Amino acid sequence: QVQLVESGGGLVQAGGSLRLSCAGSGRTLSTYTMGWFRQAPGMERETVARINWSDTGTYYADSVKGRFTISRDNAKNTVYLQMNSLKPEDTAVYYCAAKLLPGGLYEYWGQGTQVTVSS
């Protein structure tokens, strides 16, 4: 089993930055593809960013490209989401998730952390 705990959310003004962390326990995350997702009230959950297990490939939603950066520190069993130039539309609960098979479903999810961007 893998347990994921997100942290780093909060309230920030538009244009500001936050760094989210997703700490894993139970198993090493080094062999898992890791993703960040977000869900705003009344909206469907969307994929924000993804990084593969070998750290050789990343994906970003068009809405965050150039502003967000996903990274991983396997020694710390932690994945990060650096969010810059935040906009009010980035307001959501952010979740991290892990999957062993790149083409499979995400098997493990964190509890989420709230990000609120004020205008």
Side-chain angles (χ1 to χ4, degrees), residues 45-90:
R45 186 176 62 202
E46 64 171 333
T47 303
V48 175
R50 180 177 64 240
I51 186 167
N52 68 12
W53 69 271
S54 62
D55 205 7
T56 57
T58 55
Y59 161 85
Y60 296 95
D62 287 343
S63 57
V64 306
K65 257 178 210 176
R67 300 188 298 121
F68 290 12
T69 303
I70 188 171
S71 62
R72 64 193 305 161
D73 185 338
N74 288 334
K76 295 183 178 180
N77 223 30
T78 300
V79 178
Y80 304 98
L81 186 67
Q82 177 67 44
M83 306 187 295
N84 299 328
S85 302
L86 283 161
K87 304 175 181 179
E89 51 264 43
D90 294 319

Side-chain angles (χ1 to χ4, degrees), residues 25-42:
S25 62
R27 290 183 183 173
T28 177
L29 298 180
S30 61
T31 56
Y32 286 80
T33 293
M34 301 297 299
W36 282 99
F37 300 79
R38 67 186 181 187
Q39 188 166 22

Side-chain angles (χ1 to χ4, degrees), residues 97-117:
K99 61 179 178 178
L100 194 56
L101 298 177
L105 298 176
Y106 283 89
E107 303 155 69
Y108 305 104
W109 292 82
Q111 83 290 347
T113 186
Q114 176 71 47
V115 171
T116 303
V117 185

